[in-house]
Amino acid sequence: MAVTGVLFDFSGTLFRAEPADDWLRAVVHAAGADVPPDALKRWARRLSAAGAQPGVAPPGGVPPHLAAAWAVRDRSAAEHRAAYTALAREVELPDPGWYPALYDRHMAPEAWHPYPDAEEVLVGLQARGVAVGVVSNIGWDLRPVFAARGWDRFVDAYALSYEHGVQKPDARLFRVACAALGREPGELLMVGDDRRADGGAAALGCSVHFVDHLPVAQRPDSLRPVLDLAV
């Protein structure tokens, strides 16, 4: 069956979150705090190691007291905020107000950098009449990230875990996307970076194409093969 629709994951696939130093620096600057560069880098490294920045690397190891919250973090907005804020609090920072501010910062459109070939691929799919959906395990509305770049015109539907109370790899989230695009699973290609979560689309009958979750400068053209896989 021909591929007439493509489903994309968000983080690590079309976009990647800003570097941890920039993430923390934006919060510190907004707070008007004077922080030595070496301290900022040290805290940023610790936050990264704790897995406190959504959309980047998972924690090296989730503390046992946070394991239950981590497992269902993408099920709702409240659970997502609670899990990531709790991970951030595992790192001692000088101002407790920075913890909620860090979470808020990660939702800002400017905190997300697109992969170099993302726009080219989205433009190419639209030109071919291929439907596009975004299927993401996430706890907040990512539509403004696309709108800020004018890319919302390329996306026909969004299936976001927190809006449906179900996380990938659960087939129910992929079914939502199929229905929203008016396509059968066999007509869809799922593109993502998480072999387990995004690979769940295969159980429904979708084709799957994986990319690596790398910094944007290290992954210039991994999305381009999608154009050859779509009709």
Side-chain angles (χ1 to χ4, degrees), residues 134-187:
V134 173
V135 185
S136 178
N137 279 352
I138 199 164
W140 51 277
D141 187 3
L142 54 74
R143 294 174 183 86
V145 178
F146 287 84
R149 292 185 174 272
W151 290 10
D152 49 330
R153 69 186 187 277
F154 301 131
V155 182
D156 300 293
Y158 297 87
L160 309 181
S161 61
Y162 85 101
E163 292 183 335
H164 300 280
V166 61
Q167 306 173 160
K168 295 181 292 184
D170 194 312
R172 288 177 292 174
L173 195 61
F174 298 109
R175 287 197 185 97
V176 168
C178 292
L181 292 181
R183 300 291 197 277
E184 293 298 319
E187 298 178 80

Side-chain angles (χ1 to χ4, degrees), residues 10-90:
F10 171 61
S11 176
T13 300
L14 290 174
F15 289 84
R16 181 178 165 98
E18 64 189 339
D21 286 13
D22 294 346
W23 174 53
L24 178 57
R25 186 179 295 109
V27 168
V28 171
H29 183 266
D34 184 15
V35 175
D38 59 336
L40 189 145
K41 287 183 177 296
R42 183 172 64 253
W43 292 330
R45 284 197 303 269
R46 290 174 179 173
L47 288 165
S48 292
Q53 185 182 10
V56 191
V62 178
H65 65 283
L66 297 179
W70 177 256
V72 296
R73 65 193 180 281
D74 297 312
R75 196 173 57 183
S76 71
E79 287 166 315
H80 193 268
R81 179 181 284 272
Y84 280 102
T85 302
L87 284 173
R89 290 184 185 279
E90 293 293 298

